[in-house]
């Protein structure tokens, strides 16, 4: 038995709604709204309909848990699966920089599906989500940077984060949380190999993390026992999946540090690794009053993870373009934004964007690399038509905790997402914003949408 | 794209029933019977009812696929899940020594569930199972010995083996098999950590491997794309999960070597790593005419994997006893067998077995260790009451390909298993033996039991 796992499980078991500071509750409601926008906006986008058809084929035709993309009901397992596939599709969901974990994309699909099935209140959902974020972020930090080189942390660690949220809805005691971590941890999987082919696997990863985590929780509730030391044991996740696992991270600031409040809202609709450079370029162009025609070259100074992930020099699809530094900076330079609308409308119809993207290169920067993943620094060097070399540095990207979105910006983002997908009309969007903002008051969340 | 993966996928796609030699078809029918016995005999055993309840809660209440333990019908996903949990519970299912893969435990639950759902014939089931075995065994050999130190190969590689079998039932082409390996491989998980606590995780591993493999196949059929080089890619399974991956194994003897025919039937109802020593002790006692009272010490000379896995010096449950060299050799010495009946009836009620188990120790043997996992050598040294030191070496344990079970022994094992569980009466057992032996003639397998 590991002391750290015991401590973490004890914290999760003892955590009550009254322990949560107002800032964590408010942030949780904001993250919930942010997640709803992401999940609803993916309606009809490939590969989501594949998951919907699979759920119809393998799952029950009725149930208490809602599939957001089509409004159908199913069992909690299939709602978690399909809503998981929805959550990350637009690359607009929240992220914790230090853990490189998109916690909302896995925690909310599992927790909402289970809360609907179990008839839990908004307050219970908030408590469960906070537990999932707090555990997931610490486990992500524990596995460290070496883990993310090979594994999609939101898939692997996401399984445990989703499991913990559902375990909290099931009112697990300390020993049940230990079993739960064991059953979730031994299912943790998700390799980055698919990025080399721009395949559909990211949605499979998130869907499975949410659903497998939920399965682990329901099986633990049934009485399934599991490894008592899945994180630090000699054949556990740390040994198997990391070279730099740091057990102290597992219990860092439990009860005083609210890791949930350190998450970033995504402002641009692209891979998070493009954001610091996007903001630095945007800032430089404003500062210097430059238009895109006045720029002949952009060098984005990045950490190694960005170079590893941003493989697409000539993206063929909007999804690939989200992983292309050139495409993202092209949209920023020409249109001033890289949101879902810009990706859909301008990327291939606007030759200026394509032309600008060819001017962009990436270069490993020692300072940026050393700060990562705790801090995501943005550094660009721009060469102008008149031969000037201009630098810009931003230390906190838009949406990061120290540079977060205002309530208005959060709501604008939500409205833009659901309007983009045609998922809700303006009145419906306003209503859902209101319900998310007062989630703590909801007696149950069965009728969410 | 990897040439080896391309070749393997091409082989799987092109393989037809007419390509199978009679010996492979016959072996497949025998393995099918062996699997049925294992799955049926686990009826009611913890933790199987937990999986049955989960399937009722999350799955449909009707369907074409049968849950063997209770006769209920569900969708293919839940039948694969619950039947997977059944297959490995008694530690009586088949194993491939070189791959350390229990292929039947994952391939048959997935393939039978899908074949019932899709209305496939016995012949199509045989072809699918052979494809699953051939791919799974080679992928297990590819990942090598280092993989098995941390990972339960039947869980990780089992996901791909199950996926391939279902993919064959869905008549996948070469490209679909490549996507399938990608979607299955990125879900591969299963850590040995649970063995330290004798937890229920082994059943979760097998259940999830069968079900996740099936999910990968149905999602691939829907059109989900995946990594093209999940096995050998720089962020693929070989890099992530092995230190000694050998890509040549992936294509070794495709179409001429039938790896399915190299599988072993388990004779003793215990962890496979105890079998060579059990046979060596049994052989020595017969050769020397010794009774258990005449033995004061037994030293089993074993490979490192046996020392790692057989942790139970004083097992508290029959399941733990299956992983105790002392308990297994105690049953062999006192009762001449270590079958399901002996584990259930004699282990704790017979003080002679407990007394003998205390005389047993394990010692790492360089020759045995070097031969493993290709060959599982049995070596014991016995000290007798009159002070003699006696040695016995067996090079092929009972049930291994060169020392396989006869048809009669296979059928006796099946009858003993289903009678032990009260799953079938004698007439029903005879009928099922007959149907399994003529699986190739079955127009469909909807009414299996």
């Amino acid at each position: 038995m590991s002391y750290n796992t015991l401590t973490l499980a004890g914290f999760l078991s003892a955590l009550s709604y009254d322990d949560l500071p107002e800032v964590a509750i408010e942030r949780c409601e904001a993250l919930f709204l942010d997640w709803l926008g992401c999940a609803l906006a993916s309606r009809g986008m490939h590969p989501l309909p594949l998951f919907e058809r699979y759920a119809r084929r393998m799952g029950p035709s009725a149930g208490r848990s809602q599939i957001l993309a089509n409004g159908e009901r199913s069992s909690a397992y299939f709602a978690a699966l399909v809503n998981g596939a929805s959550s990350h599709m637009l690359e607009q969901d929240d992220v914790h920089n230090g853990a490189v974990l998109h916690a909302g994309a896995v925690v909310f699909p599992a927790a909402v599906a289970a809360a609907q099935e179990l008839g839990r209140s908004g307050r219970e959902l908030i408590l469960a989500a906070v537990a999932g974020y707090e555990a997931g972020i610490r486990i992500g930090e524990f596995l460290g940077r070496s883990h993310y080189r090979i594994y999609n942390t939101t898939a692997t660690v996401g399984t445990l984060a989703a499991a913990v949220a559902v375990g909290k809805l099931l009112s697990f005691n300390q020993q049940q949380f230990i079993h739960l971590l064991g059953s979730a941890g031994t299912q943790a999987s998700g390799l980055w190999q698919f990025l080399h082919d721009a395949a559909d696997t990211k949605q499979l990863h998130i869907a499975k993390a949410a659903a497998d985590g939920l399965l682990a929780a329901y099986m633990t509730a049934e009485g399934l026992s599991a490894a008592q030391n899945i994180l630090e044991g000699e054949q556990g996740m740390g040994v198997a999946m990391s070279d730099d696992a740091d057990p102290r991270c597992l219990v860092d600031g439990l009860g005083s540090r609210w890791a949930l409040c350190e998450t970033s809202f995504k402002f641009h609709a692209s891979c998070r690794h493009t954001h610091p450079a996007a903001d630095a370029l945007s800032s430089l162009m404003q500062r210097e009053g430059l238009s895109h025609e006045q720029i002949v070259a952009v060098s984005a100074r990045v950490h190694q993870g960005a170079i590893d992930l941003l493989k697409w020099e000539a993206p063929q699809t909007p999804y690939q373009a989200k992983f292309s530094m050139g495409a993202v900076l092209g949209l920023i330079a020409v249109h001033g934004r890289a949101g879902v609308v810009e990706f859909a409308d301008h990327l291939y119809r606007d030759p200026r964007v394509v032309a600008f993207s060819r001017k962009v290169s990436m270069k490993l920067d020692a300072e940026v690399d050393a700060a990562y993943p705790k801090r995501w620094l943005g550094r660009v060097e721009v060469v102008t038509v008149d031969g000037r070399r201009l630098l810009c540095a931003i230390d906190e990207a838009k949406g990061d905790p120290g540079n977060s979105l205002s309530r208005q910006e959060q709501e604008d983002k939500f409205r833009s997402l659901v309007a983009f997908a045609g998922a809700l009309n303006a009145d419906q969007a306003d209503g859902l914003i209101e319900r998310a903002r007062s989630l703590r008051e909801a007696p149950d969340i069965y009728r969410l949408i």
Side-chain angles (χ1 to χ4, degrees), chain A residues 408-431:
Chain A
Q408 190 59 51
E409 286 172 323
Q410 292 165 14
E411 292 170 15
D412 288 349
K413 177 183 169 187
F414 177 83
R415 287 195 186 88
S416 154
L417 281 169
V418 296
F420 166 75
L424 303 177
N425 63 35
D427 281 352
Q428 292 171 320
D430 287 344

Side-chain angles (χ1 to χ4, degrees), chain A residues 385-428:
Chain A
V385 282
D386 52 4
R388 286 179 293 157
R389 286 187 175 273
L390 304 170
L391 293 167
C392 187
I394 62 107
D395 287 351
E396 199 140 31
K398 180 82 176 164
D400 267 6
N403 187 17
S404 194
L405 304 192
S406 67
R407 278 175 75 98
Q408 190 59 51
E409 286 172 323
Q410 292 165 14
E411 292 170 15
D412 288 349
K413 177 183 169 187
F414 177 83
R415 287 195 186 88
S416 154
L417 281 169
V418 296
F420 166 75
L424 303 177
N425 63 35
D427 281 352
Q428 292 171 320

Side-chain angles (χ1 to χ4, degrees), chain A residues 28-29 328 410:
Chain A
C28 189
E29 289 169 336
V328 173
Q410 292 165 14

Side-chain angles (χ1 to χ4, degrees), chain A residues 79-266:
Chain A
L81 185 85
V82 182
N83 292 340
S86 299
S87 300
H88 199 47
M89 194 123 34
L90 286 161
E91 296 283 332
Q92 281 275 267
D93 50 308
D94 68 73
V95 64
H96 186 278
N97 287 346
V100 205
L101 177 73
H102 299 277
V106 287
V107 163
F108 283 116
V112 168
Q116 290 184 324
E117 204 253 349
L118 298 164
R120 298 290 190 258
S121 69
R123 195 167 286 221
E124 288 166 314
L125 175 63
I126 289 172
L127 178 61
V130 173
Y133 272 78
E134 297 303 315
I137 289 166
R138 285 173 177 82
I139 295 167
E141 291 172 334
F142 157 69
L143 288 175
R145 193 169 166 170
S146 65
H147 180 70
Y148 190 74
R149 276 193 216 111
I150 304 277
Y151 290 96
N152 179 353
T153 303
T154 305
T156 53
V157 175
T159 309
L160 292 93
V164 164
V166 180
K168 194 66 193 167
L169 287 166
L170 290 162
S171 304
F172 280 1
N173 62 29
Q174 183 179 30
Q175 180 57 59
Q176 286 175 305
F177 271 113
I178 292 171
H179 285 308
L180 175 63
L181 293 170
S183 280
T186 203
Q187 293 182 73
S189 63
L191 299 162
W192 279 129
Q193 183 62 34
F194 76 91
L195 281 181
H196 300 261
D197 308 294
D200 301 328
T201 302
K202 212 179 206 189
Q203 277 61 61
L204 178 66
H205 280 178
I206 310 303
K208 282 298 304 306
D212 286 345
L214 184 137
L215 179 150
Y218 276 81
M219 290 300 298
T220 302
E222 292 283 359
L224 195 78
S225 71
Q228 301 297 287
N229 196 10
I230 197 69
L231 298 167
E232 298 174 71
E234 59 191 281
Q235 292 166 307
M237 290 181 77
V239 169
M241 298 176 151
S242 173
D243 299 328
D244 60 347
D246 181 354
R248 290 168 306 179
C249 296
L250 292 169
V251 295
D252 182 53
L254 284 174
S256 56
R257 168 195 170 209
W258 296 95
L260 168 102
C261 297
E262 301 161 359
T263 48
S264 304
F265 294 98
K266 272 185 154 186

Side-chain angles (χ1 to χ4, degrees), chain A residues 1 14 47 54 125 164 189 205 221 279-281 292 301 326 330 346-347 365 424:
Chain A
M1 169 46 54
Y54 178 81
L125 175 63
V164 164
S189 63
H205 280 178
D279 287 347
L281 177 64
H292 65 91
R301 308 295 171 85
H346 299 307
L347 196 60
D365 183 285
L424 303 177

